[in-house]
Amino acid sequence: MSLTQNFTLHEMTKSETALRLGIENQPDEQQLAALQTLCEKILQPIRDYFGMGVKVNSALRTLPVNRAVGSSDNSHHVRGMAADIEIPSIPNAELAEWIVENLDFTQVILEFYTPGTPDSGWVHVSYVPEDLRKQVLTAMKENGKTVYKPGLIA
């Protein structure tokens, strides 16, 4: 099932964790609508601008899948409103910066990016229509713990 010109439901629900553990990772009606909106408002504009495929590392994670990966029950992924993405050959910091400068969004997190290593980490982006606060963070490890710092640190 196509959600937009270049994004399918399959790629938005694919989860290695779900496959490995035999957990269902299919959306209900609300999650499906949220995934479509995420594709229309965020992913397709990114694809159109860069003219390259966007690799979706993770989008929808049903609650059991989300718990299996150790994420918060409040994650936007559970609602189908977030994706972790990359574009091969585009530095993740550049991708995050383009989203921040050109799109409405709820949250952008440049996750575990290593300056000087363009393909390190990934970009988390969420779109909650009633909460387009444009929060921008960088996730990194400090003393073995994940910390979130304001802005893009690249």
Side-chain angles (χ1 to χ4, degrees), residues 65-126:
V65 173
N66 202 57
R67 288 177 175 165
V69 300
S71 189
S72 163
D73 285 2
N74 296 324
S75 169
H76 290 142
H77 286 278
V78 175
R79 295 168 57 197
M81 296 178 168
D84 296 335
I85 61 171
E86 300 176 72
I87 299 176
S89 80
I90 301 294
N92 286 317
E94 181 181 328
L95 173 58
E97 186 175 319
W98 187 88
I99 295 168
V100 168
E101 292 176 355
N102 293 281
L103 300 176
D104 289 327
F105 58 90
T106 300
Q107 190 177 60
V108 166
I109 307 174
L110 180 59
E111 300 211 40
F112 307 106
Y113 181 77
T114 302
T117 309
D119 65 346
S120 62
W122 61 90
V123 178
H124 166 95
V125 59
S126 62

Side-chain angles (χ1 to χ4, degrees), residues 10-114:
H10 174 75
E11 69 188 301
M12 300 300 288
T13 59
K14 184 179 178 188
S15 166
E16 292 177 17
T17 300
L19 288 171
R20 187 173 54 254
L21 298 176
I23 302 171
E24 183 73 22
N25 196 49
Q26 291 302 309
D28 61 25
E29 286 184 30
Q30 287 181 320
Q31 291 165 322
L32 179 59
L35 286 169
Q36 181 138 20
T37 300
L38 178 67
C39 289
E40 290 170 352
K41 300 293 187 178
I42 301 291
L43 301 181
Q44 190 63 50
I46 292 169
R47 169 69 170 81
D48 292 344
Y49 176 77
F50 286 99
M52 298 179 196
V54 175
K55 180 182 176 199
V56 178
N57 297 328
S58 179
L60 177 70
R61 295 193 302 242
T62 59
L63 194 54
V65 173
N66 202 57
R67 288 177 175 165
V69 300
S71 189
S72 163
D73 285 2
N74 296 324
S75 169
H76 290 142
H77 286 278
V78 175
R79 295 168 57 197
M81 296 178 168
D84 296 335
I85 61 171
E86 300 176 72
I87 299 176
S89 80
I90 301 294
N92 286 317
E94 181 181 328
L95 173 58
E97 186 175 319
W98 187 88
I99 295 168
V100 168
E101 292 176 355
N102 293 281
L103 300 176
D104 289 327
F105 58 90
T106 300
Q107 190 177 60
V108 166
I109 307 174
L110 180 59
E111 300 211 40
F112 307 106
Y113 181 77
T114 302

Side-chain angles (χ1 to χ4, degrees), residues 120-136:
S120 62
W122 61 90
V123 178
H124 166 95
V125 59
S126 62
Y127 189 91
V128 180
E130 63 277 5
D131 182 20
L132 299 175
R133 61 188 133 131
K134 291 192 151 195
Q135 182 181 38
V136 180

